[in-house]
Amino acid sequence: MLKLTLYFGNPARLNVANEQLRITLPPDSSDSGERILTRPLEDIGIVIIDSQQISLTSSVLSGFSKYGVALIICNERHLPAGLMLEMEGNSLQSERFRIHISASQPLKKQMWQQTVIAKIRNQAAAMKIITGENPIALIRMAEKVKSGDSENVEAKAASYYWSVIMARFGGIRRHRDGEGPNPLLNYGYSIVRAMMAKALVASGMHPSLGIFHRNKYNAYCLADDIMEPFRPYVDIMVMDIFDKFENPEVGMKSVKQQLLGICTKDVMINGLTYPMMTGISETAASVFKCYNGDSRKIRYPELTS
């Protein structure tokens, strides 16, 4: 079952009763009094809080933890700033943590090689979709990735990819704090990151123990690693938004609705089509199989142009 993504951008009060999330909304223009909506906690996958006028009880937080709901908190610029996940995501979590932690360096290098190849190939397909240009240079780069990406082909491919994509914005560069499409890209990536972190925890792994990312201040290194091949799907969506809207911003309701649609965007994995949220779970499950020695291949999405 595909879990719900709930977005709250207007004043509301949240509490839990009878395993249901109760959403109390203020009176509307008809002055008919407060409105109450309910959603079963077991049906919810992600909740995004994007208003300073949202209040919630501790029962909401414990309920989200119980049912594995990922809670994203946005800042005053409407960008995701915090993520809360359950601490126990799998019945065999202690054993799976041990397997995860004991992974050998050669295995992690081989997994990172797969990740970089999948990312660059998807960037090649995305570049063709967005710009119509021949992506042969990226395809050739993907063929040169070695174990552990020892020659840092990922960075070279990203530099080329973004130089082509960003040419339409006249000098704006891909940067976390940059202008233009950057805030929209950041928002989309944050949603994918939350889905990935949730899926990794559900598969019994700790999202902070990465295969390549090792920043000691980053609680989601593994999520940042495994989400890489999914990023080009966000890139395509954001560039499509810029084709449809004039000067789109994250705070625009219509823009945000499209960005939230990334959760149900179709992805193809091993010839089968999944909504992204489900596809990410497939990928996360395959990551543990690699750690456990049951498989040698991560099931990454294949973007086609």
Side-chain angles (χ1 to χ4, degrees):
M1 175 182 173
L2 185 61
K3 299 283 188 174
L4 298 173
T5 298
L6 302 182
Y7 170 81
F8 296 96
N10 295 308
R13 300 197 311 274
L14 309 180
N15 70 295
V16 168
N18 299 320
E19 308 299 298
Q20 302 269 327
L21 177 65
R22 287 169 49 89
I23 307 161
T24 304
L25 304 174
D28 57 20
S29 57
S30 65
D31 196 28
S32 57
E34 292 185 334
R35 294 162 291 153
I36 297 178
L37 306 174
T38 61
R39 296 290 185 273
L41 286 172
E42 64 181 356
D43 292 348
I44 304 172
I46 298 175
V47 171
I48 301 173
I49 302 294
D50 189 14
S51 171
Q52 301 296 312
Q53 300 181 64
I54 302 291
S55 63
L56 49 84
T57 64
S58 60
S59 65
V60 173
L61 300 180
S62 61
F64 285 174
S65 296
K66 178 180 178 180
Y67 286 94
V69 179
L71 175 63
I72 301 175
I73 306 296
C74 296
N75 60 21
E76 66 280 359
R77 294 194 299 161
H78 306 288
L79 295 175
L83 172 62
M84 187 193 83
L85 297 170
E86 74 274 29
M87 291 185 66
E88 297 182 8
N90 189 281
S91 59
L92 300 175
Q93 187 156 324
S94 178
E95 178 184 352
R96 292 196 169 206
F97 272 6
R98 178 184 57 77
I99 294 169
H100 182 187
I101 292 170
S102 62
S104 68
Q105 197 61 28
L107 173 60
K108 289 191 284 187
K109 286 184 176 181
Q110 190 266 341
M111 292 170 71
W112 183 240
Q113 179 187 26
Q114 289 185 46
T115 302
V116 172
I117 291 172
K119 177 184 180 181
I120 297 175
R121 286 176 175 170
N122 283 350
Q123 285 178 324
M127 191 178 82
K128 186 174 182 181
I129 292 170
I130 295 168
T131 69
E133 295 195 23
N134 190 329
I136 188 63
L138 286 172
I139 294 172
R140 288 174 177 167
M141 288 184 193
E143 295 170 350
K144 296 178 180 179
V145 179
K146 299 178 181 179
S147 177
D149 190 22
S150 56
E151 297 181 359
N152 203 15
V153 178
E154 183 204 16
K156 297 172 185 175
S159 178
Y160 173 74
Y161 172 74
W162 285 114
S163 68
V164 175
I165 299 295
M166 291 296 207
R168 63 185 289 187
F169 298 101
I172 294 176
R173 300 177 61 188
R174 169 64 193 139
H175 190 276
R176 182 176 180 82
D177 298 318
E179 54 184 337
N182 285 293
L184 275 67
L185 290 166
N186 295 341
Y187 194 94
Y189 294 154
S190 294
I191 295 172
V192 175
R193 188 190 200 211
M195 288 191 288
M196 183 58 72
K198 171 180 165 58
L200 291 169
V201 169
S203 291
M205 292 167 284
H206 200 295
S208 67
L209 303 175
I211 55 178
F212 176 76
H213 288 88
R214 297 183 180 86
N215 188 329
K216 66 180 180 180
Y217 302 109
N218 182 1
Y220 302 101
C221 289
L222 185 60
D224 288 339
D225 285 334
I226 307 302
M227 71 173 279
E228 292 289 358
F230 290 87
R231 287 178 179 265
Y233 292 89
V234 176
D235 304 342
I236 294 170
M237 179 172 285
V238 169
M239 297 307 155
D240 182 59
I241 289 173
F242 270 83
D243 287 336
K244 293 180 178 178
F245 300 94
E246 184 176 354
N247 299 320
E249 296 180 359
V250 171
M252 296 169 59
K253 183 177 180 180
S254 55
V255 170
K256 195 160 293 181
Q257 286 177 336
Q258 289 212 21
L259 288 171
L260 292 174
I262 195 66
C263 298
T264 55
K265 181 73 174 176
D266 283 347
V267 299
M268 183 173 290
I269 300 176
N270 286 5
L272 299 176
T273 301
Y274 304 90
M276 183 175 287
M277 187 179 292
T278 306
I280 281 176
S281 295
E282 290 288 320
T283 298
S286 72
V287 170
F288 181 77
K289 288 182 178 179
C290 289
Y291 280 129
N292 200 39
D294 298 325
S295 175
R296 300 186 63 181
K297 185 174 177 59
I298 303 174
R299 289 164 54 89
Y300 278 128
E302 301 170 12
L303 182 57
T304 57
S305 56

